């Protein structure tokens, strides 16, 4: 079997996924331990049996709904290669909107303290640490498994010295410390949301936030003022239909300059607000 033949077969297996051609290339490249460019130049090469079997196994599991990132063990976020695996949310491209918005609140060259609450794989904290060498970064999660993963990613990227990792429930992890910037992508999916079926391989505790999806966003908005310095910023990611509700939560908690930002798909995805000076 040649590379091109196996690619065609894999595309067919993945026909019902979002991007069969791209995913087939990613799977086959990983099974062959090559990059995707190599596949283009070697379409007529024979595929070793072991690699073909690996590709077929992955393609079957992918077709049955496992996230590609869990199969490959890696996902790129903000151009950083992160390791990911079951038990930890796969970082999403939409969350780069949150990183961009947070960077606007952390002036380059200034010393700022930043906390990423519910860090998961470490995606947001690592992107901010990479972009803002003078910022001191704290990353928290309630899940020990997530924190272990985030620490491992920090080590691999040479950023372990830049980030303090704390385990605990939202603000409980922070003690009495106040920060310049608090950022979080909390769980925000409602318990009965039909969309959850497609997310069944990812941890429910990273996704589900009560009956209306706002439980954790309420806790974050209400608790943030006690953990921010005067003039400090809170930035949170939320569901596409939660913009108005989250603006109201931040305004209700005393934040000013409350505004929403849109993701790459044009949907309201991030809300930020500033404490009065
Ligand atoms: N920040 C990562 C990202 O953007 O890819 C992960 C975000 S995931 C949607 C939410 C994270 O919050 C999970 O890692 C979950 O373990 C954590 N979490 C859920 N409830 C929490 C709580 N009560 N206190 C602290 N972290 C919590
Ligand atoms: N954006 C994720 C999804 O719906 C949800 C992540 C979250 O709850 N923070 O696929």
């Amino acid at each position: 079997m040649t590379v091109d033949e196996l690619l065609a077969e894999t595309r067919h297996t993945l026909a019902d996924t979002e991007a069969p051609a791209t995913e087939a290339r990613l799977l086959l490249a990983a099974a062959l331990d090559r990059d995707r460019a190599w596949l283009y130049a070697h379409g007529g090469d024979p595929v070793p049996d072991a690699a073909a079997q690996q590709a077929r196994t992955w393609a079957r599991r992918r077709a049955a709904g496992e996230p590609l990132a869990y199969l490959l063990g890696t996902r790129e976020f903000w151009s950083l290669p992160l390791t990911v695996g079951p038990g930890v949310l796969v970082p999403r491209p939409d969350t780069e909107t949150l990183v961009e918005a947070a960077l606007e609140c952390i002036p380059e060259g200034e010393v700022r303290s930043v906390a990423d609450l519910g860090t998961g794989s470490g995606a947001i904290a690592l992107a901010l640490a990479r972009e803002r060498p003078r910022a001191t970064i704290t990353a928290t999660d309630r899940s020990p498994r997530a924190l272990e993963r985030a620490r491992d990613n920090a080590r691999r990227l040479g950023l372990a010295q830049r980030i303090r990792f704390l385990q605990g429930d939202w603000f409980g992890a922070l003690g009495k410390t106040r920060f310049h910037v608090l950022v979080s992508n909390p769980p925000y999916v409602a318990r009965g949301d039909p969309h959850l079926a497609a997310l069944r391989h990812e941890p429910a505790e990273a996704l589900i936030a009560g009956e209306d999806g706002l439980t954790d966003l309420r806790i974050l908005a209400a608790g943030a003022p006690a953990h921010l310095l005067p003039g400090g910023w809170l930035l949170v990611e939320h569901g596409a239909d939660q913009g108005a509700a989250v603006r109201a939560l931040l305004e209700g908690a005393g934040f000013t300059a409350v505004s929403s930002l849109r993701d790459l798909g044009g949907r309201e995805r991030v809300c930020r607000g500033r404490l009065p000076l």
Side-chain angles (χ1 to χ4, degrees), residues 89 91 95 118-120 123-124 141-143 146 168-170 185-187 205-206:
L89 190 94
T95 302
T119 196
I124 299 167
D141 209 290
R142 189 175 55 182
S143 153
D169 191 11
W170 296 138
N185 171 18
E205 68 264 26

Side-chain angles (χ1 to χ4, degrees), residues 89 92 94-95 185-189 195 199 202 206-208 237-238 269:
L89 190 94
R92 309 287 206 265
D94 285 343
T95 302
N185 171 18
Y188 55 68
V189 183
H195 180 57
L199 305 176
E202 293 182 272
L207 292 165
I208 301 175
E237 181 173 322
H238 57 71
R269 182 63 66 189

